[in-house]
Amino acid sequence: MNKNSSGNPEAAGKPSVKSVTGASPPAAALVAPPGRSRRFRVDVGTIVSAVALAQSLLLVSLGYWGSQRLVSRVGVSAHKANHDRTEDKVRAFLHKAESVINAVGTAPSLRPAGEQSEKTAELLWTLLQQSPELDSIYVSNERGQMLMALRYPVPAMRHIELDEGFTTETWQYKLPLDAEANVQQRYATQRLGAFRSDYNPTRRSWYLQASKAGGPVWTQPYVFAAAQELGVTYALPSQRNYPGGAQKLVVAGDVSLGRLSEFVRQFNNDGYGDSALLSADFRVLARSDLPGVLHKLESPSGVLGALHAHMQAAGTAGSGNDTEFSFAYEGRRYLVQTSRIPSTGWQLVSWVPEDVLLGDLRRAVLLGLGLAVAFLVIALFMSLKLSKLVTAPVENLSHIARRIGLLELDNLPREPSRVLEIQHLDQALDDSARSLKAFSKFVPVDVINQLIDEGHALGPSGSPRRVTVMFTDVEGFTSISESLDTDVLVGMLTEYFNLATGVFARHGGVVDKFIGDGIMVLWGAPSDLKDAEYKACLAALELHVEMDELNRKWVEQGLPEFRTRVGIHTGTVIAGVLGSNDRLSYTAFGDAINVASRIEGINKQLGTQALISETTFAGLDGRLHARRIEEQVELRGRQTRMVLYELVMS
């Protein structure tokens, strides 16, 4: 790589910063320019390491936090899946019992006594065989007559007749439901038993609740009279019209809590944790963490008791909404899921220790965190080592950049490096030096030097100054541009601008800017100029003379003519270096600028080519011919009319 690639043979002999100041800049100036704070300095290696450390710690922290949340969500989801599976089984169990009782309630010939009772008995016995969910199925009327198919304590058909002062019960004992026999043999009566009792079906809770509700109901838990076991009953009222008159029936089926306990215990078998069923009055119907079948209703105790107390404090006990939460009991934290069984009002509750469910996952997260920290330490060590490969070339490149800032653009060294970014930076600095040299051809150096000589700061500034302003415009340029090829149009504009700027320069004018096909020219800025009005008008007349010659040449070439219109005004403006902090331009603004632009535009209305204001005309002092426009002209955007003059050739 050529280390002198930024050099330029044309620069030989040109004054550098050294020749201007009389001595080369001291070495200290290249390292630490005066006025720069020395209180706190860091190198690139420290910055890279600090950024890498901060980012790594942030990523590790976010990763750990996200992993913990994910683990918690996974645990809650797994727990909820087991809970929902148990809930679905309980609901399906109860729904099957409801379906059987609803089917019995719609049987056309349903009778608990009389001639049709035998058909009813066969129906009840058949449905009991097909419904392991139910312990018994029975139907009773308002006279106290009842027909009941039992599974427990022994398979039998129970007939009840309510007499005055006592009840007669007749039991037809059957073979076990799972006995190996045909259908008729299993239904055949093995023996009979009859006795008196005080059992009155119309006074039982299932009968009273169904009659009062007028629809299906699930009773609160109670002790079954026949099986002497805790259970619940699903009862359905049914109104019938028989030849002897209307009769109200109640069809019911019993479900023992022992059967519900089997479903609740499946939660413990299928997953982690335990579950329980609570009645509407918060009594325990079944729970998986205690062995055996409940024979009496009890309040929640142990973990279930603490859980229920937490729900009561939170106001979610007995709520119809599904809930999930966590709580602590005896130094252990539990995840809890609850849901309500709509048809019964029961609440299914399941709980599982967090450490049992999430322990393995959290240990895996901690192991991952340890590996991430170890990797972070290794990465930090490597970043410190690698940063040293960057800091030295960057320091050298900073010296080169400082030389470019001092406009020492000749014989700049290059900084070869294996680091791609360093190569790019070195190339960028070399390109910057080349661009500065090339850009100097576009910068109005004479204006800049003049501003510096007069003490103007090369920053945003401005001051009032009396100037003469000229605006030019090419008549019908839009239609001309539409009729020409781009290359031809650009060539004509270049030739036109070269001619115009030459005329303006000969008469002391400074071109402020090119505005499309128009030009804005200042006389009296940035430096004072005597007789600015006269010189500006003289330049306008000379421009028209030279444009006549150029137009004749273009016509011979088959090209259209450029008819230039000029507007000139003299007044006070704000002139100076204007713009943003990073892009400046020497220009002027103020009312005089706007007036000059409006005067140029009025040429089109008046059919003239060069108009000047009354102020500019006064400065001519009769040295040039000008024709007064008899009618005062109204300029766009101004309330007062102005007196204008047209410049004419003598």
Side-chain angles (χ1 to χ4, degrees), residues 417-475:
S417 174
R418 294 182 180 274
V419 180
L420 184 62
E421 288 75 9
I422 300 297
Q423 291 183 10
H424 291 168
L425 180 57
D426 175 64
Q427 184 62 46
L429 289 175
D430 186 64
D431 292 342
S432 298
R434 293 176 181 273
S435 298
L436 283 174
K437 288 185 177 182
F439 192 68
S440 62
K441 297 182 180 295
F442 299 90
V443 176
V445 179
D446 53 343
V447 174
I448 294 177
N449 291 335
Q450 191 173 4
L451 290 172
I452 294 175
D453 292 341
E454 294 182 2
H456 291 277
L458 293 181
S461 62
S463 60
R465 182 180 291 274
R466 183 178 175 82
V467 299
T468 296
V469 186
M470 174 193 291
F471 276 89
T472 72
D473 182 59
V474 176
E475 179 182 338

Side-chain angles (χ1 to χ4, degrees), residues 496-508 511 542 546:
Y496 165 64
F497 286 148
N498 286 336
L499 183 148
T501 54
V503 171
F504 300 147
R506 286 196 297 271
H507 294 278
V511 175
E542 185 175 333
E546 296 201 12

Side-chain angles (χ1 to χ4, degrees), residues 141-197:
N141 60 21
E142 56 193 0
R143 300 173 186 172
Q145 297 172 322
M146 176 175 164
L147 185 60
M148 183 179 193
L150 299 97
R151 188 188 306 273
Y152 298 111
V154 291
M157 289 298 303
R158 181 185 180 191
H159 298 262
I160 295 177
E161 288 283 346
L162 186 62
D163 296 322
E164 292 185 6
F166 62 90
T167 298
T168 302
E169 295 194 28
T170 303
W171 289 60
Q172 298 176 347
Y173 297 98
K174 310 292 184 179
L175 288 173
L177 297 179
D178 56 354
E180 293 185 2
N182 59 38
V183 175
Q184 292 177 322
Q185 290 174 340
R186 283 200 299 269
Y187 183 66
T189 301
Q190 303 298 311
R191 61 187 177 90
L192 287 173
F195 57 89
R196 291 183 177 182
S197 70

Side-chain angles (χ1 to χ4, degrees), residues 228-354:
Q228 291 298 305
E229 185 179 343
L230 277 173
V232 292
T233 299
Y234 179 73
L236 173 71
S238 179
Q239 191 72 24
R240 299 302 172 97
N241 293 318
Y242 295 125
Q247 193 174 122
K248 183 175 70 175
L249 304 178
V250 175
V251 183
D254 293 335
V255 177
S256 68
L257 296 187
R259 294 190 176 276
L260 293 176
S261 298
E262 295 176 4
F263 288 102
V264 171
R265 286 194 177 90
Q266 287 183 8
F267 182 90
N268 181 272
N269 296 331
D270 294 345
Y272 299 103
D274 294 284
S275 62
L277 267 177
L278 301 180
S279 64
D281 58 354
F282 309 125
R283 300 295 185 91
V284 179
L285 301 179
R287 57 189 297 179
S288 65
D289 59 335
L290 294 180
V293 178
L294 299 177
H295 294 282
K296 63 178 181 178
L297 295 176
E298 297 178 345
S299 298
S301 60
V303 179
L304 182 59
L307 185 157
H308 184 255
H310 184 279
M311 293 172 61
Q312 285 183 318
T316 58
S319 171
N321 299 322
D322 294 354
T323 60
E324 59 180 51
F325 59 91
S326 62
F327 79 107
Y329 176 70
E330 293 184 350
R332 207 173 188 187
R333 194 150 196 88
Y334 293 83
L335 296 176
V336 181
Q337 294 278 345
T338 71
S339 58
R340 187 172 179 271
I341 309 298
S343 60
T344 61
W346 302 340
Q347 196 165 36
L348 177 64
V349 182
S350 60
W351 64 95
V352 60
E354 276 192 354

Side-chain angles (χ1 to χ4, degrees), residues 17 25 27 62 82 100 109 172 181 191 261 317 328 337 408 445 464 500 544 599 623-624 633:
V17 174
L62 290 176
N82 289 333
V100 172
S109 59
Q172 298 176 347
R191 61 187 177 90
S261 298
Q337 294 278 345
E408 295 180 358
V445 179
H544 285 119
I599 292 174
R623 286 173 289 179
L624 294 175
V633 179

Side-chain angles (χ1 to χ4, degrees), residues 591-606:
D591 185 64
I593 303 296
N594 297 331
V595 171
S597 176
R598 301 292 189 272
I599 292 174
E600 181 278 319
I602 208 69
N603 279 292
K604 181 177 182 181
Q605 177 181 336
L606 300 178

